[in-house]
Amino acid sequence: MQISNNYNYQDNAATRDAPWVRALFIGVASVFMVVMLVIPLMAVFYEAFKGGWDLYLAALVEPEALAAIKLTLITAAIVLPINIVMGLAIAWLVTRYQFKGKQLVTTLLDLPFSVSPVVAGLMFVLLFGLNSTVGGWLESMGIQVIFAVPGIVLATLFVTFPFIARELIPLMQSQGDSEEQAALTLGASGWQVFWHVTLPNIKWALLYGIILTNARAMGEFGAVSVVSGHIRGETNTMPLLVEIAYNEYNFTAAFALSSLLAGLALLTLVVQQIMSKMQARKYAKGIDREAIVAPKLVVNSSKPKAATVSGNSNS
């Protein structure tokens, strides 16, 4: 359920700001966004394309760059489905069940937001490194976690798993479970309730969480840097290769990969804005439909009463 706030503070004399205050806030916000966001982003694309389109493409099709792009996409493709399943499960657990330790679960859900990604990567090194019990046992079985793809996936999964759950929990709490209970009362199974009632109600929040998770998975640097080992052509993701190329004064490759990451981020924002407009349009249609149907229901509900009264009077 989406709550729309259409109240305009400037229409009320009690909350209306002076014109100079409004202009000051708009100016400060605009200058800050231009200096901190627009100019650096434009500088990245300028440096990337400064040498020409051919040099830009040549930097992206180098073997190391292609390996980094491939690893980044593979990591995101593995992490995203796991996050979808776990996010739905955690959101369902928190909003539909009462149990001891529920507050602890919601607190631990915010742990990746409060812990530095570098610390998170170090935790996985201590847990799955060759000198640890678990890491040594896995290594004896031929499974390498640290300085390999599994470690990168685990580190990325740690820093991204709260996003979907945090998008779903407030929405599911505000919606309640009345529709689900009604469907169960009518004989629907658990899976039918999920696919036909729960999922349609939370689909927009779920898509928002998927977009944020995907963007963070492709752009994660700190945790992945600790567990990757920076093995060229094997464990370098796009953000890691950007750092390596920049430190080696290969500015064309660094800015080319940076522009690719920035382009993916901008594409994510565009998709999110399109989805927001679609959701707002659907919500507005729902409000209009209720406004049209409600008077008809009132009129129709009044007609039987009139017929009953006339029937009683005739009798």
Side-chain angles (χ1 to χ4, degrees), residues 1 87-97 164-178 180 194 198-199 201-203 205-206:
M1 178 180 180
L88 286 169
I90 294 174
W92 188 278
L93 176 67
V94 171
T95 59
R96 297 298 184 261
Y97 294 96
I164 292 179
R166 275 302 172 197
E167 288 290 330
L168 295 178
I169 288 174
L171 178 63
M172 294 178 68
Q173 285 177 337
S174 64
Q175 288 179 342
D177 60 350
S178 58
E180 296 161 357
F194 174 77
T198 305
L199 191 59
N201 288 336
I202 65 173
K203 63 180 180 180
L206 179 61

Side-chain angles (χ1 to χ4, degrees), residues 49-110:
F49 290 98
K50 183 172 63 175
W53 181 256
D54 293 336
L55 194 60
Y56 176 82
L57 290 179
L60 292 181
V61 297
E62 290 182 355
E64 287 189 20
L66 291 177
I69 295 172
K70 180 181 178 181
L71 180 58
T72 302
L73 296 178
I74 290 175
T75 302
I78 296 174
V79 167
L80 201 56
I82 298 175
N83 272 315
I84 293 173
V85 174
M86 295 304 301
L88 286 169
I90 294 174
W92 188 278
L93 176 67
V94 171
T95 59
R96 297 298 184 261
Y97 294 96
Q98 297 296 331
F99 57 93
K100 292 183 179 180
K102 180 177 179 179
Q103 185 61 40
L104 178 62
V105 172
T106 56
T107 302
L108 292 177
L109 191 60
D110 293 330

Side-chain angles (χ1 to χ4, degrees), residues 192-248:
Q192 287 176 329
V193 171
F194 174 77
W195 286 110
H196 299 287
V197 178
T198 305
L199 191 59
N201 288 336
I202 65 173
K203 63 180 180 180
W204 294 111
L206 179 61
L207 289 174
Y208 290 153
I210 290 173
I211 289 174
L212 293 175
T213 301
N214 185 65
R216 180 64 185 274
M218 290 190 297
E220 176 57 31
F221 176 83
V224 173
S225 177
V226 176
V227 302
S228 69
H230 297 276
I231 303 175
R232 289 180 178 270
E234 295 184 16
T235 62
N236 279 331
T237 59
M238 291 172 63
L240 301 184
L241 190 58
V242 168
E243 182 197 29
I244 293 174
Y246 188 83
N247 290 336
E248 294 178 349

Side-chain angles (χ1 to χ4, degrees), residues 122-143:
L122 183 60
M123 291 190 300
F124 285 107
V125 171
L126 295 176
L127 182 60
F128 295 105
L130 294 179
N131 296 325
S132 66
T133 303
V134 178
W137 176 70
L138 291 175
E139 184 68 20
S140 65
M141 298 180 62
I143 302 174

